Each structure stands twice: as C-alpha cells, then as structure tokens.
Amino acid sequence: MAEVWLSGRRRGALAFGLGAVAALGQAPLGFWWATLAALAALVWLLDRVKNRRGAFLTGWLAGAGYFGLSLNWIIEPFLIDIARHGWMAPFAVVLLAFGLGLFWAAAALLARLVKVPALGFAVAIVALEWLRGVIFTGFPWAMLGHVWIGTPLDQLAALGGPSVLSLITLLGAALPVLWRWPGAAGSAVLLAAGLGFGLWRLAQPLPEPGDLTLRLVQPNAEQSVKWEAARAQEFFDRLLTLTARGGPADLTIWPETAVPYMLEYSPEVADMVVAVSGGRPVALGIQREEAGRFYNSLRVLEGEGEQTALYDKAHLVPFGEYIPFGDLAYDWFGLRAFAAQAGNTYSAGPGPQVLDLGRFGKVLPLICYEAIFPREVNAMPERADWMLQITNDAWFGVWTGPFQHFDQARLRAVEQGLPLIRVANTGVTAVVDARGRVIQELPFATMDALDTRIPGALPPTPYARWGDGPLVLLLAGLALLAMIGRRRVPIDAPPPAV
C-alpha cells in the first residue's frame, strides 16, 4: 500500500515538502530537529523507490524544496531596484533551487547503485556537498551541517570542517531507516557523543584577550540609496562621527565598500579619515583603481594618511562582482561591457593573504563572500592571530541571508581555532571567540559602533592541520560499507516466495 500511495505526484510533493522542512534548521530559525526528522523521512521515502528515474526525481524535488526555502534571500538583490530588476527575482530563486537540487538528485541516483541505499545516500550527499563548494568557483552555502552552528555539536568542525557536521546529520537521519529501533538508538548515541565532545571543548579555558581597543563601525547605509550622490556625504559622515565618538580607538574598522569615494580620485578622503582617528589606524572597505582595473579592497590608513596595508578581494561573486569569461569576450570579440580589464567589473586579487598589522598582530582579511569557503581560509599562507571579515550584507535583506552568512563566518573560527572580528554595514557586526561563540554583538540594522578587544587564539586545530584528508578516508570507508553491506528488507515488503 505504501508504494501505491507514495507514487507519482504524491511522492514528488512529499519530497519537495520534506526538503523545505529540512531547511528550517538553517539560520535564523535553527530548528535542527526539524532537519533531522525531515531527512530521516526522505531517506525512508528514497528507500522505497523502485527505480532510478523515481529516485532521481525524488531527490531532485527534495533538493529543490530545501534550497528554495533556505536560499530565499537570493531575491533580495533584485528588489533593490525593483522597477528594473524585480521581474528577475522569481526566475532566480527557481533556477537556483532546481539547479542545486540536482546535487541531491545525483546523490539519490548514486544510492541506487549500492547494496545499502540509505547509507549510500548519506555518503553521496556529503561528497557532493563538498563538490558543490569547489566547482564553478564554489557555493558551499546552506550545507546540511550548518544547522548545528551555535550548538555544542558545531565544535566537531574543529576536527573535520563543515562536511563532518553534514555527515553526522545524514548518519543520524539514516540509521533509524537502516535498523529501525537499534538504528534510532545508534543515532542517539552518535549525536550524544558529538554533544559531549562539544560541551567538553567549550569548557576548556581560552587565552586572555589583547590589550588594544578595536572599534567596529556599523553605519547602516540603506543599499537602495547607498550609491546616490546626494546621500554619499551623509553616509561618509556617519563613518567619521562613529570613528571619533568618545575619542578614537587604537584601531577602527569600517565595513566592505563603506567609503562612497575612491582615494585615487578624492585623495582628501584619506586626510579626513585619519583626522577623526587622531592618526591611529583605520581599516576601511573601499573600492580602488589601478591601471584601468577596479578592486574591492581593504586598506589600512594611519599617521598622515599613508596606506600601511592593502588586501584586494580574491574570490569574487560570479555575475555579482564579475562576469565569468568577461575578459575573454573582450579579447576575442571586443565586448567591453563584461570585461574586468576594461574597468566594467571587479578584478580579483592574488589570493589569501595574511596582513602584518604590527602591534595588532597578524590578521587574515576576508571580504564578504570569502568567509563561506572553509578550504580557502584553511589555505592561508601562514598562521594568523585573528580573522577579520568586512561585509555589506544589506544586499541580503533582513530575514535570512545576513544571519546565514554570519553563521558560516562563525564556523571558520571553530575550524581554525582563531577569533573572528566581523564588521558589517547593516549587521551582523560581532566579536566571535576562537571556539565560535559570540561574545559581543551590535543590534541588527542600527547605526552604532562597538568597542572591543581581540580575543585570544588557540593552537591549530586538527582541521587546520590536515584539512579534508581524514574526511576523505572516512567517506571512502563508509562508501565501501554501503557497497558490500547487506540490503535491509523493507518492513512492508511481501514475504518471499516458497
């Protein structure tokens, strides 16, 4: 009866709904228990699909439901200028949801090729999530393991990065399907062990914070009018006022693209910045131009306005900050509109870089999107003392996007054992310790500044030392087990013929 009832459109609708329920574990809701329950039901559903086509479609619709809800913020940039771009918003969310849903479809299809499909699906999802974070410049947003961020289980990321959290999630959902009540007990033991490790790690002492004061400036410039010439001075004045308020800090930090001018064309801006900081350093997000190319940059000014450090964003947002192959189109066909070399999009910087800020220590700068890539953060050329993310999340609205982005940045602190200072235009502006705990935070969507100190750093974590190596070995072992294991007979299968 189950196969009859769960056939065709009913199965597709159920799969789509289960995917959407699984998305409730993502920020800002954080309903991890809903994700576990929905994934367990989805694994049960896939375990009863009779053919590869049905498995593919079921996985695809489940993935579309998951990404459609968890990435609903993708419509927000199109609503900034709704008269011109609003019509594209529905197409963006549908295409992204069903496009990323293909990863779940592929996992469901691969699961049909092994003897233990439930275990095969868990392994395939984790492996394909890893692939999703790499191919086509990567997009590791809304990984299933992200539902644990902010709980003690997120400390497992120090051992194996975000993919280990996803594996725990999938195994916790699949075990009850594989072995019913014994499997449910195994799932509980697995999660309890992760919880115990997390609580133990969070209870360990941290080094004392530094003595120097940082001021994190959140100007709350509305994205829809941020670049209007009539409002530019207003937003710049907000930055200057907050920097000087109560006397300057040892180091002041402004968010991504905070300055509405460029030093190349308005050199007096540097003098205005150091005037309100009393010559003390200010790290500011600002665009810059060099040899006809434009960069999304972090520049440190101090003293008489001289620049003492520079970082150009290396991992740009496709179609948002640059057009893929835009330079080739210019070289081959003379099309300038999409070419970074013609100054029409951003150019990428050379890659991860650690800046030596003297008495403030060595800092790994991350501009906006760069903080979602664990492997690139892990590829820092030398060990930093802390991480700095500047961002402008006003593009992402006020409901889900900024909070999901912040959660992913927090996870980098867990993975590396390094504190994170995060400065955002509208929020979330916060201070995160070396175990990913938020110790100070500004209210969202307010104009304000936060004075803080740099939390202490920990020694390199296992993930910082070995990266994804242990995860690859673990996935290989589980994949082998799925291939040679014994297929469980469904509870509602007909009795064998005599």
Side-chain angles (χ1 to χ4, degrees):
M1 284 295 294
E3 279 80 0
V4 175
W5 188 86
L6 292 175
S7 61
R9 294 180 179 178
R10 289 194 184 97
R11 184 177 64 215
L14 179 59
F16 188 88
L18 289 173
V21 172
L24 298 178
Q26 297 292 333
L29 295 178
F31 295 162
W32 57 264
W33 44 268
T35 301
L36 272 182
L39 288 176
L42 177 61
V43 173
W44 177 89
L45 183 63
L46 287 167
D47 205 39
R48 280 149 180 79
V49 176
K50 295 297 187 182
N51 54 67
R52 295 177 183 176
R53 179 178 180 275
F56 181 89
L57 291 175
T58 301
W60 191 23
L61 288 168
Y66 175 77
F67 290 111
L69 185 58
S70 60
L71 302 180
N72 66 79
W73 53 264
I74 199 67
I75 69 172
E76 296 291 344
F78 299 97
L79 303 182
I80 299 297
D81 187 351
I82 193 169
R84 294 179 59 189
H85 304 127
W87 64 272
M88 292 187 282
F91 296 99
V93 69
V94 170
L95 289 175
L96 185 64
F98 280 90
L100 294 178
L102 290 172
F103 286 94
W104 285 35
L109 186 60
L110 289 170
R112 304 298 303 177
L113 305 179
V114 299
K115 291 185 176 181
V116 188
L119 181 58
F121 180 70
V123 173
I125 279 282
V126 176
L128 289 171
E129 266 196 349
W130 185 94
L131 182 65
R132 174 162 66 88
V134 175
I135 62 170
F136 307 126
T137 79
F139 187 62
W141 200 295
M143 296 176 68
L144 286 168
H146 290 165
V147 303
W148 302 110
I149 298 173
T151 76
L153 270 82
D154 69 5
Q155 299 301 302
L156 291 169
L159 303 179
S163 293
V164 164
L165 298 180
S166 292
L167 183 60
I168 291 292
T169 309
L170 268 300
L171 290 178
L175 288 177
V177 178
L178 281 169
W179 296 301
R180 301 187 185 93
W181 290 112
S187 177
V189 169
L190 181 67
L191 295 174
L195 176 65
F197 171 79
L199 290 172
W200 170 81
R201 191 167 187 269
L202 290 170
Q204 304 307 303
L206 283 170
E208 290 295 317
D211 297 327
L212 300 172
T213 302
L214 273 57
R215 178 164 298 162
L216 318 183
V217 175
Q218 180 175 288
N220 196 36
E222 304 93 323
Q223 190 60 43
S224 60
V225 294
K226 186 171 184 285
W227 298 111
E228 289 184 3
R231 303 290 300 276
Q233 189 62 50
E234 174 190 344
F235 296 138
F236 187 50
D237 287 343
R238 291 185 188 182
L239 295 161
L240 297 175
T241 299
L242 292 170
T243 299
R245 189 178 68 182
D250 295 309
L251 170 64
T252 301
I253 306 171
W254 295 359
E256 177 192 20
T257 59
V259 183
Y261 313 106
M262 288 198 293
L263 299 184
E264 289 75 20
Y265 306 137
S266 304
E268 69 277 7
V269 167
D271 296 330
M272 298 170 70
V273 171
V274 295
V276 296
S277 74
R280 298 178 182 184
V282 178
L284 47 90
I286 188 171
Q287 299 174 96
R288 76 178 190 93
E289 185 267 337
E290 181 180 335
R293 289 181 176 267
F294 291 88
Y295 299 86
N296 185 352
S297 303
L298 171 75
R299 308 176 84 157
V300 180
L301 305 178
E302 59 182 297
E304 299 297 321
E306 62 268 21
Q307 176 179 289
T308 57
L310 169 68
Y311 171 73
D312 294 322
K313 185 177 182 180
H315 198 138
L316 302 174
V317 181
F319 302 103
E321 294 180 308
Y322 80 104
I323 302 298
F325 310 112
D327 281 350
L328 287 178
Y330 179 60
D331 291 336
W332 293 354
F333 307 110
L335 298 177
R336 300 175 56 89
F338 308 127
Q341 62 185 301
N344 291 317
T345 59
Y346 284 133
S347 293
Q353 182 180 353
V354 173
L355 302 179
D356 189 344
L357 299 186
R359 61 197 183 114
F360 300 99
K362 294 182 177 181
V363 58
L364 176 70
L366 303 166
I367 299 180
C368 190
Y369 189 61
E370 294 179 315
I372 74 171
F373 296 96
R375 292 156 199 91
E376 294 182 11
V377 172
N378 216 31
M380 67 179 84
E382 60 178 307
R383 180 77 172 169
D385 299 309
W386 53 290
M387 297 181 292
L388 169 62
Q389 184 195 16
I390 60 171
T391 185
N392 175 23
D393 286 358
W395 285 106
F396 300 155
V398 299
W399 299 109
T400 57
F403 306 102
Q404 291 176 9
H405 195 199
F406 174 51
D407 265 8
Q408 292 173 80
R410 288 177 62 184
L411 201 58
R412 304 294 86 82
V414 179
E415 294 160 4
Q416 297 299 322
L418 293 177
L420 169 75
I421 304 296
R422 189 175 196 267
V423 187
N425 172 24
T426 55
V428 177
T429 296
V431 181
V432 179
D433 73 15
R435 293 199 175 98
R437 290 172 294 200
V438 181
I439 56 178
Q440 286 179 279
E441 182 179 355
L442 281 177
F444 187 77
T446 59
M447 185 185 77
D448 205 349
L450 174 66
D451 286 355
T452 188
R453 295 187 294 167
I454 304 171
L458 294 170
T461 63
Y463 182 70
R465 293 179 183 276
W466 303 317
D468 293 314
L471 172 75
V472 172
L473 295 176
L474 181 57
L475 288 179
L478 290 173
L480 181 62
L481 185 62
M483 287 187 285
I484 66 175
R486 184 177 179 182
R487 182 189 294 270
R488 180 186 61 77
V489 179
I491 192 171
D492 49 359
V498 178

